[in-house]
Amino acid sequence: MGKWRIPGGGLTVAVVVAAVLASCSGLGADGDGDDGSGDGVRGVGRGDGRGEKSASAPLSVAAVGRMAAEPGSRCPVRYDMAGAARAAGVHGAVEDGSVEGELPDGADTPLAQSDGALVDCGYRLGTEQVRLFTVGVAKGYAVSVLLPQIQHDAGIPMDDLLDYAGRAQRAKRGEALLTSSGNVAAVRLPVTGQGDVALVLSVGEHRTRLSEDQVADLATRLASQARGRAPDAGPPAGRRD
């Protein structure tokens, strides 16, 4: 299994992440994602799977944990990058890239503090390098775990990161939240059971040829696709393998 590591950022970003996680560690997000199925998730990779029998069911924290433990050679989340790009007016061939998963590693890491897991799927979209993170947490807000990644990819100053962290906690599910750089967007996803699940779309590094509307539209369309993939499922329509 590939290993994801927080890229750079140093002590200052680590302090910001710790502060954000501490401020919401006792929260179950806003509770609007509980569809009543009650899968009993308390931590990554556990739970009896109730509410996940249908391929169209929203993701759960436990499902993200299972995908992170065994991510496979292609993205375990049912994203159709090619279809989403066409619908968002983004042109260029789509190629699959690396797939990595990450589980808590050490008591002081963001994933450990939030009892979470993440899947990192890479793509090439035309001339752009794209990374699509799917993160689930049992405690707090999923986007908070990826604040160091967001700052790294967006190249934004600390004041902008703090503002972004605050807006991410207030964001409604399905709403794409862009960084001031315009190349990174986060979306809180519907979730089965307890916890919080989100995706973070990163296009290029610090800047992109795509417009802010295209990045936001692409992230929104990908968020609407986010479901677990059946073990024997083939690639989604529009995917070029």
Side-chain angles (χ1 to χ4, degrees):
M1 180 180 71
K3 283 292 186 180
W4 173 86
R5 289 290 181 268
I6 293 176
L11 180 61
T12 304
V13 175
V15 170
V16 170
V17 175
V20 172
L21 291 173
S23 70
C24 58
S25 61
L27 302 177
D30 57 11
D32 62 359
D34 192 341
D35 64 359
S37 62
D39 66 359
V41 174
R42 289 302 302 168
V44 173
R46 296 191 293 274
D48 60 10
R50 284 178 290 169
E52 297 175 33
K53 295 180 180 179
S54 170
S56 63
L59 292 173
S60 69
V61 176
V64 176
R66 289 191 292 273
M67 290 187 287
E70 298 183 30
S73 60
R74 59 190 177 89
C75 192
V77 189
R78 290 195 303 143
Y79 293 122
D80 179 2
M81 179 64 72
R86 284 196 304 270
V90 179
H91 304 290
V94 175
E95 298 178 7
D96 292 344
S98 62
V99 179
E100 298 181 353
E102 184 72 9
L103 295 170
D105 182 13
D108 295 329
T109 64
L111 282 177
Q113 293 175 33
S114 60
D115 202 359
L118 67 84
V119 176
D120 171 10
C121 300
Y123 302 89
R124 171 70 65 174
L125 176 53
T127 61
E128 301 274 12
Q129 191 70 35
V130 176
R131 295 180 75 181
L132 186 55
F133 298 90
T134 308
V135 57
V137 299
K139 297 180 289 188
Y141 293 90
V143 176
S144 299
V145 171
L146 283 168
L147 288 176
Q149 185 76 50
I150 290 168
Q151 195 207 30
H152 176 269
D153 293 352
I156 55 177
M158 189 58 58
D159 287 348
D160 283 8
L161 184 67
L162 287 169
D163 176 70
Y164 190 86
R167 289 190 291 131
Q169 291 188 22
R170 298 188 297 271
K172 297 179 180 178
R173 298 192 191 277
E175 175 187 355
L177 182 65
L178 276 171
T179 59
S180 56
S181 62
N183 72 311
V184 180
V187 186
R188 295 182 65 208
L189 303 177
V191 58
T192 297
Q194 302 173 10
D196 194 39
V197 180
L199 70 78
V200 172
L201 172 70
S202 175
V203 185
E205 187 169 313
H206 301 178
R207 61 181 180 271
T208 174
R209 65 177 179 82
L210 304 186
S211 69
E212 291 187 0
D213 286 345
Q214 286 177 316
V215 174
D217 194 7
L218 182 59
T220 301
R221 293 179 185 279
L222 289 166
S224 70
Q225 300 172 355
R227 301 290 187 271
R229 184 186 302 284
D232 59 348
R239 176 68 63 81
R240 301 183 182 183
D241 287 336

